[in-house]
Amino acid sequence: MATAPSAKLTPLLKDELDIVIPTIRNLDFLEMWRPFFEQYHLIIVQDGDPSKKIRVPDGFDYQLYNRNDVNRILGPKASCISFKDSACRCFGYLVSKKKYIFTIDDDCFVAKDPSGKEINALEQHIKNLLTPSTTHFFNTLYDPYREGADFVRGYPFSLREGAPTAVSHGLWLNIPDYDAPTQLVKPLERNTRYVDAVMTVPKGTLFPMCGMNLAFDRELIGPAMYFGLMGDGQPIGRYDDMWAGWCMKVICDHLGLGVKTGLPYIWHSKASSPFVNLKKEYKGIFWQEKAIPFFQSVSLPKECSSVEKCYLALAGEVKSKLGEVDPYFIKLADAMVTWIEAWNMVNSPGEKPAMTSLPNATSKK
Amino acid sequence: KLFIDTGKDEVFSLIQALNIRVTLTPVLPTRALRSDLTIFMNEWRPMFSRFHVIIVKDPDLKEELKIPEGFNLDVYGKPDIDQVVGSSTSILFSGYSCRYFGYLVSRKKYIISVDDDCLPARDPKGFWVDAVAQHISNLTNPATPFFFNTLYDPYAEGADFVRGYPFSLRGGVKCALSCGLWLNLADHDAPTQALKARQRNSRYVDAVMTVPARSLIPISGINIAFEREAVGPALVPALKLAGEGKCRWETMEDIWSGLCVKIVCDHLGLGVKTGLPYIWRTDRGDPIASLKKEWEGVKLMEDVIPFFQSVRLPREATTVEECIIEVANAVKERLGSMDPVFARAAKAMLDWVKLWQSVGSSS
């Protein structure tokens, strides 16, 4: 039987969760999220020109890191953090000291459900992460731990405990997350379909993970959430979250962790230019044809019992198998190793929390 | 009575225009408790009336069936079953499994099968759900089993493949099976329903999705549709519980059948979809009374699922019949000694394939 965590109340987890937001402009969008985010600590990763001042609405507790901070904290290892691309957000995951991370883009706003009620996306992500995933057998009524649902007939009782949930992947109303070719063909299409479901992506199945509205258990899967080398000086963009998602899923499958997708929805307001996107993505469109079979067939050694070990093994496979596709993958594989080194450096026990250099680092309520 | 007909006229005229023999056959197994099909048939009339209907009467049902006028239908009962398959194999078609006889004798390309305690549902806007039209749409649009699309069915109106979905996979594969869902009385097992006696499913999830390759799913027989030509022999009336009863939660035959279909589809590169359409399942039976019987089916699943998860079909098995024979042999070998129900299931599967080849193939 599916038992949901205590009746109606979802724990806030306000001391256990960081909200990571990459940005190059101001963060006025936070005003709309205030009722839902105000109690949480924000980690803002400022991309682009570090001398630009980012305006954060009053009353939020945050730490802001710009490129100077990234370079200072990581030294030479900073090379693995992308510049001029929202992939830089994974620096926020690295320096966080909390158990859970929620990341959201600065053009994502509060959505409404079909009844008109505002959706507390963070609360839904927390619910998703705190309840098990059903990785081994698909439940046709979707998440059995949701109120009003349960396992269906035929679902073995021994599988009903599920697996710990490592990642919660939310969706988007209004501007859907399409690639550039689809955007060019369907510039007017808007996602208006509210699908009232959360479900587990089954073991052995890959999916495109979008970083716009994502939460994860940093302790369970953090080191696998590297968003790759994108943007300035790189041949590709808009594949940061995809890359992280494929690596993450292979590792979750190997370690017996679960990934959920579906609710919550946010309202995605800005459609980026499909022409700019096409230039960024176009190599990815060809490369993903090679990358997907690679991820579908890669197998990690049984000895890899930690995320770090899995990730390093995966980096080795990327170098040897995808290196032939393009030298970029060799660079990427090296960056994956650098990332793990950086992760261990920053997160080793006894390490002081990474401080920012800016005086406005933490604003008081 | 209002009903959604949006897709349907379009499809119907397409059928006529292209002269495709894609007419469907709703197949209805009847239950021992219900010989009066008047309400059922009348409620479904707007959706069924233009199709051929096959009604198969549970051999144990003694009363005459009451069926309203105005349908293009064929009714089969015990004498017909005995005549077509012989009385030794007619045992396959008792109880809920009588519906498989309908699958066997149909000569249409697609089949839709609905339990007789189900009525049309309404969507959240209040419109009647045309379950037939939705199943047709599911079966005639491709499935995408090799990579999960986070916006669910990419062929639905207003949806598409998301960023990161490989282009070479966007053509999809043929969808061979469409599994619908249930509002009101969901398909829970007896322990779950007994524990949550008042729980009713009121959540309308507006999505169709492909079940990923190599993922197994419990396929309920209450509301399904399939392409008979593609996977007919894979829907096997095989797992008959010793204490199989007249309530759905006292059976597992459809779950077993569904696992066979999924294994075969995965092997042959066909797709299985789940989600819409919903039907409204009326309250019936007492789960607590069912609990007093053996939880045989529930216990068997503990062995059944790991077995199906580990079955590997050889490359040489290229037809559905060959695949089912392979599965049957594996069942006999690996599960046969565990419980006589499995040995019987294996035999039933082999008998079914023979029947399909002699009676089921179009002649």
Side-chain angles (χ1 to χ4, degrees):
Chain A
M1 241 63 72
T3 45
S6 69
K8 314 294 174 227
L9 248 44
T10 309
L12 276 180
L13 301 181
K14 64 182 174 68
D15 296 321
E16 297 169 74
L17 185 146
D18 273 339
I19 302 180
V20 172
I21 307 168
T23 188
I24 52 170
R25 37 188 169 225
N26 63 60
L27 292 173
D28 292 340
F29 89 114
L30 283 175
E31 262 324 318
M32 201 194 183
W33 287 103
R34 189 182 287 277
F36 305 118
F37 287 3
E38 208 170 21
Q39 307 206 49
Y40 297 90
H41 180 244
L42 312 181
I43 292 180
I44 297 165
V45 184
Q46 178 184 349
D47 197 14
D49 182 1
S51 64
K52 180 170 174 184
K53 185 152 180 338
I54 300 289
R55 205 170 59 234
V56 183
D58 286 332
F60 283 96
D61 174 27
Y62 71 96
Q63 263 170 304
L64 187 143
Y65 300 89
N66 61 27
R67 192 72 205 182
N68 295 337
D69 299 306
V70 174
N71 291 335
R72 184 177 45 81
I73 292 167
L74 295 185
K77 300 199 207 303
S79 60
C80 75
I81 302 296
S82 303
F83 187 56
K84 294 233 178 104
D85 193 286
S86 64
C88 65
R89 77 176 80 213
C90 62
F91 178 79
Y93 310 159
L94 192 82
V95 296
S96 165
K97 295 290 173 225
K98 304 283 173 56
K99 180 162 159 65
Y100 301 99
I101 299 274
F102 169 53
T103 184
I104 186 169
D105 278 12
D106 60 8
D107 59 355
C108 294
F109 293 82
V110 179
K112 291 198 162 93
D113 70 19
S115 74
K117 183 163 164 261
E118 289 197 334
I119 299 170
N120 183 347
L122 188 47
E123 184 185 55
Q124 182 65 53
H125 276 301
I126 292 173
K127 279 189 187 147
N128 293 348
L129 289 171
L130 293 183
T131 48
S133 298
T134 51
T135 54
H136 284 95
F137 200 52
F138 194 95
N139 193 44
T140 47
L141 279 185
Y142 314 112
D143 188 342
Y145 303 97
R146 275 187 89 194
E147 217 173 286
D150 212 307
F151 290 96
V152 296
R153 177 173 56 98
Y155 206 105
F157 274 78
S158 62
L159 294 182
R160 294 190 188 199
E161 257 180 40
T165 303
V167 174
S168 165
H169 177 263
L171 296 175
W172 346 272
L173 290 172
N174 195 41
I175 309 285
D177 188 25
Y178 287 162
D179 52 48
T182 310
Q183 278 181 293
L184 285 164
V185 169
K186 294 180 164 187
L188 299 177
E189 186 149 275
R190 298 290 176 263
N191 186 22
T192 55
R193 182 178 285 117
Y194 184 91
V195 178
D196 187 6
V198 181
M199 65 198 72
T200 299
V201 184
K203 179 176 170 168
T205 300
L206 293 176
F207 75 107
M209 181 181 85
C210 172
M212 262 199 269
N213 172 19
L214 185 69
F216 59 94
D217 185 325
R218 191 180 168 280
E219 274 171 27
L220 281 183
I221 199 65
M225 300 298 273
Y226 173 50
F227 271 39
L229 288 174
M230 306 278 148
D232 212 41
Q234 307 298 344
I236 189 174
R238 282 171 56 86
Y239 271 88
D240 51 335
D241 41 6
M242 296 299 136
W243 184 261
W246 301 329
C247 293
M248 171 280 293
K249 189 57 165 64
V250 166
I251 294 176
C252 280
D253 286 350
H254 179 83
L255 295 177
L257 301 171
V259 175
K260 290 185 182 176
T261 185
L263 303 182
Y265 282 90
I266 47 85
W267 179 270
H268 185 211
S269 66
K270 281 196 190 65
S272 36
S273 157
F275 297 97
V276 171
N277 289 344
L278 188 58
K279 280 199 195 141
K280 291 183 184 172
E281 284 174 15
Y282 100 96
K283 286 212 161 106
I285 288 174
F286 295 94
W287 289 347
Q288 74 190 3
E289 296 296 332
K290 297 281 196 284
I292 299 304
F294 163 76
F295 281 105
Q296 281 173 335
S297 59
V298 76
S299 74
L300 300 172
K302 217 174 283 184
E303 309 81 63
C304 292
S305 51
S306 71
V307 179
E308 287 91 332
K309 289 202 186 93
C310 287
Y311 203 75
L312 290 171
L314 197 52
E317 291 291 312
V318 169
K319 193 171 210 166
S320 62
K321 305 245 169 60
L322 289 179
E324 307 162 346
V325 174
D326 192 279
Y328 166 74
F329 287 103
I330 298 178
K331 233 178 26 163
L332 180 58
D334 288 339
M336 289 167 75
V337 176
T338 307
W339 160 262
I340 294 295
E341 289 168 359
W343 184 280
N344 289 334
M345 180 180 84
V346 171
N347 292 289
S348 56
E351 188 67 30
K352 291 196 305 300
M355 292 305 293
T356 69
S357 57
L358 300 173
N360 66 342
T362 47
S363 86
K364 308 294 178 288
K365 281 211 200 359
Chain B
K1 235 178 279 192
L2 264 182
F3 61 98
I4 283 183
D5 215 7
T6 42
K8 204 156 155 243
D9 282 321
E10 218 178 308
V11 172
F12 191 61
S13 55
L14 190 69
I15 292 168
Q16 306 222 292
L18 299 181
N19 201 26
I20 307 167
R21 265 184 76 237
V22 294
T23 36
L24 298 87
T25 320
V27 179
L28 305 156
T30 66
R31 298 282 59 65
L33 299 174
R34 197 186 293 264
S35 56
D36 185 349
L37 292 175
T38 317
I39 296 177
F40 176 89
M41 294 298 287
N42 282 330
E43 291 289 316
W44 283 104
R45 189 184 291 273
M47 293 150 210
F48 284 2
S49 60
R50 54 178 78 165
F51 298 103
H52 177 235
V53 178
I54 292 178
I55 297 180
V56 186
K57 188 177 162 187
D58 179 353
D60 293 334
L61 186 62
K62 298 288 172 269
E63 295 91 336
E64 280 299 308
L65 294 182
K66 281 206 210 71
I67 304 167
E69 299 272 313
F71 291 92
N72 167 17
L73 66 85
D74 279 307
V75 183
Y76 298 97
K78 186 168 184 342
D80 307 295
I81 298 175
D82 284 344
Q83 186 189 37
V84 171
V85 306
S87 46
S88 56
T89 28
S90 65
I91 188 75
L92 288 175
F93 305 108
S94 64
Y96 276 95
S97 298
C98 64
R99 65 197 176 117
Y100 293 94
F101 182 78
Y103 305 164
L104 188 72
V105 297
S106 164
R107 287 294 176 264
K108 299 294 200 302
K109 182 168 175 173
Y110 298 109
I111 291 197
I112 293 180
S113 183
V114 172
D115 276 6
D116 68 352
D117 56 358
C118 298
L119 299 174
R122 282 190 206 259
D123 70 16
K125 293 200 174 77
F127 294 113
W128 290 111
V129 171
D130 186 343
V132 175
Q134 182 66 54
H135 275 306
I136 298 176
S137 170
N138 293 350
L139 291 171
T140 53
N141 279 302
T144 51
F146 301 116
F147 205 69
F148 191 89
N149 193 45
T150 48
L151 281 185
Y152 314 111
D153 183 4
Y155 307 99
E157 182 104 19
D160 213 307
F161 290 96
V162 295
R163 174 174 59 97
Y165 202 104
F167 278 80
S168 63
L169 294 180
R170 295 194 188 196
V173 298
K174 176 194 291 235
C175 178
L177 184 74
S178 164
C179 312
L181 294 174
W182 341 270
L183 288 172
N184 194 43
L185 199 69
D187 192 15
H188 295 306
D189 51 47
T192 308
Q193 196 68 63
L195 192 78
K196 296 183 170 184
R198 274 190 291 275
Q199 177 159 300
R200 295 292 178 269
N201 187 24
S202 55
R203 182 175 287 130
Y204 186 96
V205 178
D206 185 11
V208 178
M209 64 199 76
T210 299
V211 184
R214 291 177 323 241
S215 291
L216 293 180
I217 130 180
I219 295 177
S220 161
I222 296 174
N223 170 19
I224 57 166
F226 59 98
E227 186 180 314
R228 187 182 175 278
E229 289 172 10
V231 287
L235 280 94
V236 295
L239 192 76
K240 193 166 286 303
L241 303 178
E244 183 174 278
K246 300 300 181 189
C247 291
R248 260 296 176 200
W249 50 56
E250 292 169 356
T251 72
M252 280 295 180
E253 54 85 11
D254 51 348
I255 306 294
W256 179 274
S257 172
L259 292 167
C260 293
V261 178
K262 186 60 167 59
I263 296 285
V264 171
C265 284
D266 285 349
H267 181 76
L268 298 178
L270 301 170
V272 173
K273 291 184 185 174
T274 185
L276 303 179
Y278 281 90
I279 47 83
W280 179 271
R281 190 158 172 250
T282 54
D283 288 61
R284 263 190 75 232
D286 176 10
I288 296 175
S290 299
L291 269 190
K292 295 193 185 123
K293 306 184 183 176
E294 273 261 15
W295 297 20
E296 192 195 349
V298 166
K299 289 185 218 160
L300 287 177
M301 282 300 120
E302 298 299 327
D303 297 315
V304 169
I305 301 308
F307 165 75
F308 276 98
Q309 282 173 333
S310 64
V311 161
R312 297 281 174 269
L313 294 171
R315 207 176 296 168
E316 302 79 55
T318 52
T319 67
V320 178
E321 289 91 332
E322 280 164 10
C323 291
I324 291 300
I325 292 171
E326 289 290 332
V327 178
N329 291 337
V331 170
K332 189 156 91 181
E333 207 178 288
R334 286 157 52 185
L335 294 177
S337 48
M338 250 184 243
D339 192 305
V341 75
F342 294 128
R344 284 195 296 270
K347 178 171 187 306
M349 288 167 77
L350 294 172
D351 287 343
W352 169 254
V353 170
K354 289 199 196 90
L355 261 186
W356 191 272
Q357 285 163 338
S358 62
V359 178
S361 359
S362 315
S363 42

